[in-house]
Amino acid sequence: MRAARLFEYHKPLRIVDADYPQIKRPDHVIVRIRGAGACHTDLHVVEGVWRVSLPLTLGHENTGVVEEVGEGVEGFKRNDPVVVHPVMTCGVCRACRAGEDMYCENLEFVGMGRDGGFAEFMLTSVRSLIRADGLDLVEVAPLADAGLTAIRAVKKAAPGLYPGSFTAVIGVGGLGHIAIQLLKQMTTTNIIAVDIVESKLRLAEQLGSEYVVNARDDPVKEVMAITGGRGVNVALDFVGTQTTHETCLRILRKGGKFIVVGYGGVINLRSADMIANELTIEGSLVGNYIELQDLVELTRLGKLKVITNRYGLDQVNEVLDKLKTGELIGRAVLTP
Ligand SMILES: [Zn+2]
Ligand SMILES: [Zn+2]
């Protein structure tokens, strides 16, 4: 089968003829991939930020149809359309019993720790599958990671948001454009979308963002002006550079919350400032199975629409380059 694999850090992926996956456990499932979204984390893997065992097939944002099931699998059969949660979990550890899939003690991450979906077929387990009947499998592929990560961050933000509150969404890319829609569905906050690309700010407006700020100017000054000098209740950082971290810390109001989703920078905050302004800094990591189920349901109800661009598997390196330069609107999805 064809697969886009990383053989060496900092090098382009190579399209190779890889081995068809093997079912080794009764709960294993092989999915014929229909959509595999490209994520900044794929770039980070190529850059060696995460040390993985190479060669590796990337791609952790997948949909497809069931091809084969292990002998213990019930409820799914060949050709069933599915969205695949990006981690395989054991189901019996304390975290799994609490529903926190990302904390599973026996977690295996497709496209990170084991082969992912930039391929014709991928192995996962039945616990990771969500039914996607009636949905366009390319359009919903980004739910499995971009959407999932966005909904978890928005759920962390939502309890503190009230009518008249302000939320800054830093970065209107794959995650940010979904987060804006979720904030609209789940809260009554005023959204301030911040990006450096004008077309992304126009998209934020179309999606219902009350304010947009071009970060090439002075985003701190503009956000403070919009919020009457108080700052935002929540800053959602979907970019994660040193600059965006610093911007977030400077635009928080007293009692504000900084939710870190994008990563790469270092957060510097004097403890005296943290106490004086009673700030909260919270990391947010992908999302659990239930959160993915909520997203699929929101999509089914027509309340969430991911903007996707389709590419062939052989365009994978071109897609990763576009991701790096920030020129993609919405999410790029490979169709192996
Ligand atoms: Zn990702
Ligand atoms: Zn577990």
Side-chain angles (χ1 to χ4, degrees):
M1 66 166 190
R2 286 187 348 130
R5 311 196 81 199
L6 179 67
F7 284 81
E8 220 181 312
Y9 295 117
H10 305 289
K11 290 279 161 60
L13 305 189
R14 277 163 49 196
I15 310 287
V16 296
D17 186 13
D19 291 338
Y20 179 80
Q22 293 286 313
I23 289 195
K24 290 183 179 148
R25 288 192 334 224
D27 63 330
H28 276 167
V29 175
I30 293 169
V31 175
R32 179 188 289 266
I33 300 293
R34 286 286 161 76
C39 173
H40 269 273
T41 290
D42 295 312
L43 279 181
H44 289 318
V45 173
V46 173
E47 289 159 0
V49 173
W50 304 110
R51 289 285 151 172
V52 295
S53 99
L54 298 180
L56 178 74
T57 304
L58 302 192
H60 52 272
E61 190 174 272
N62 306 301
T63 56
V65 294
V66 172
E67 175 74 11
E68 256 190 86
V69 298
E71 58 188 7
V73 171
E74 283 175 25
F76 288 92
K77 58 180 194 314
R78 191 177 156 89
N79 287 330
D80 281 346
V82 290
V83 175
V84 186
H85 190 285
V87 299
M88 294 164 69
T89 53
C90 73
V92 295
C93 74
R94 186 180 176 96
C96 278
R97 288 172 195 275
E100 286 301 354
D101 301 87
M102 295 308 299
Y103 304 164
C104 172
E105 289 166 19
N106 303 297
L107 171 149
E108 293 180 88
F109 209 134
V110 300
M112 296 277 286
R114 59 176 304 128
D115 287 333
F118 290 176
E120 288 177 82
F121 299 96
M122 184 186 81
L123 183 78
T124 184
S125 81
V126 67
R127 275 179 57 79
S128 306
L129 303 183
I130 290 174
R131 302 200 71 95
D133 304 77
L135 296 171
D136 180 320
L137 291 175
V138 176
E139 305 230 316
V140 299
L143 297 183
D145 177 45
L148 181 55
T149 307
I151 197 171
R152 185 167 180 90
V154 168
K155 281 192 173 184
K156 285 173 187 284
L161 297 171
Y162 49 85
S165 62
F166 288 92
T167 300
V169 172
I170 313 292
V172 189
L175 280 74
H177 91 285
I178 298 174
I180 291 169
Q181 296 177 63
L182 294 171
L183 283 165
K184 283 277 149 205
Q185 292 294 330
M186 296 159 69
T187 79
T188 50
T189 196
N190 291 299
I191 301 169
I192 307 174
V194 182
D195 205 293
I196 52 173
V197 181
E198 274 301 318
S199 54
K200 294 184 181 178
L201 294 175
R202 297 292 81 79
L203 172 63
E205 283 175 333
Q206 284 165 29
L207 296 173
S209 218
E210 278 77 9
Y211 304 91
V212 295
V213 168
N214 192 319
R216 287 199 193 279
D217 306 326
D218 185 345
V220 175
K221 192 171 149 205
E222 286 196 47
V223 170
M224 294 315 277
I226 290 166
T227 58
R230 296 184 185 91
V232 299
N233 301 73
V234 172
L236 289 160
D237 188 354
F238 292 112
V239 180
T241 61
Q242 197 61 33
T243 310
T244 59
H245 289 341
E246 281 163 16
T247 299
C248 287
L249 287 172
R250 291 173 62 202
I251 60 174
L252 287 182
R253 69 171 59 192
K254 282 186 186 286
K257 189 185 258 198
F258 172 20
I259 299 178
V260 187
V261 185
Y263 58 91
V266 175
I267 295 167
N268 288 306
L269 176 62
R270 291 187 339 135
S271 51
D273 292 336
M274 188 168 187
I275 300 305
N277 296 305
E278 209 168 52
L279 303 178
T280 303
I281 300 177
E282 190 169 358
S284 194
L285 175 66
V286 193
N288 62 35
Y289 182 91
I290 301 289
E291 287 159 342
L292 185 51
Q293 220 167 25
D294 289 352
L295 270 179
V296 171
E297 210 46 43
L298 278 170
T299 306
R300 227 189 276 283
L301 293 168
K303 296 188 184 297
L304 176 67
K305 176 112 181 61
V306 185
I307 296 172
T308 52
N309 305 278
R310 300 173 188 227
Y311 295 89
L313 187 63
D314 48 0
Q315 290 172 289
V316 62
N317 291 306
E318 180 191 324
V319 166
L320 292 178
D321 284 344
K322 282 181 197 284
L323 201 57
K324 197 182 252 173
T325 55
E327 62 188 280
L328 286 167
I329 297 287
R331 199 71 156 172
V333 180
L334 302 173
T335 54

